[in-house]
Amino acid sequence: MIKKITFGLIAFICLGSLATQAQKKVTEGYISYAAEYDLPPDQQMAAAMLPKEYKIYYKENLSKFVMDLGMMTNQMTSDSKTNTGLMLMDIPMAKQKIAVKFTEADYEKQKEMMPDYEFTKTTESKAISGYNAIKYNAKDKESGNEIEIWTTKDLEIPSNSFTQAFKDKIEGTPLVFVTNMNGMKVKLSFKELKAESVTGLNLTIPEGYTQMTMEELMSMSGR
């Protein structure tokens, strides 16, 4: 079951105060989200293995989404200009380091496999971490599953590997996501936005990694 949850998170790949703030634009740095999970009784043991934080580093057209699952670390670097990417998985227990390169054609194929959501902008609004936020509902046209997304125009960051799936569907920067994934409720809430110098963003496979296709990787999970 934990394998299904883990690869579901990868595929989805892939969150205080009441005073409002002026618009803030950060072109280089990172944004992080705290994660909460509501798991069915038969999946409670998996809770300790799920990431408590998601972090996205970005600079210009490049971004890197980092997910630490304890038993493995996953990094997804994307180039929003060329629609290419590189996923690196480090699995210490299995002594495996896996690299998967994504071409523009791969991204198009992944998009075809993703649910077709209908997005609706609501009139609901509230302050989240001091930012004015508005609520969107996204409904899977086939299954009826829904995603709740709160966004703000008070923050402006480049399109990145975490928000690419919602490009042109919502306005502003996402602050909160609430969805159901593989039978569990997942809530990602905005934690921190920091402007800082970001280095090491590239699509080069590091030494020591074995390159695979996405199909080969998914077959390892029994899919």
Side-chain angles (χ1 to χ4, degrees), residues 63-104:
S63 64
K64 180 171 69 175
F65 175 67
V66 181
M67 182 169 64
D68 186 352
L69 288 159
M71 64 179 182
M72 63 179 252
T73 301
N74 179 275
Q75 297 182 28
M76 181 69 199
T77 303
S78 301
D79 187 328
S80 61
K81 280 188 177 180
T82 62
N83 283 332
T84 56
L86 172 67
M87 183 166 69
L88 299 175
M89 296 179 64
D90 189 354
I91 313 173
M93 290 180 62
K95 296 182 179 180
Q96 286 184 310
K97 291 186 175 184
I98 300 168
V100 180
K101 281 220 167 191
F102 289 83
T103 64
E104 187 171 11

Side-chain angles (χ1 to χ4, degrees), residues 70 125 131 147:
S125 63
Y131 299 105
I147 300 176

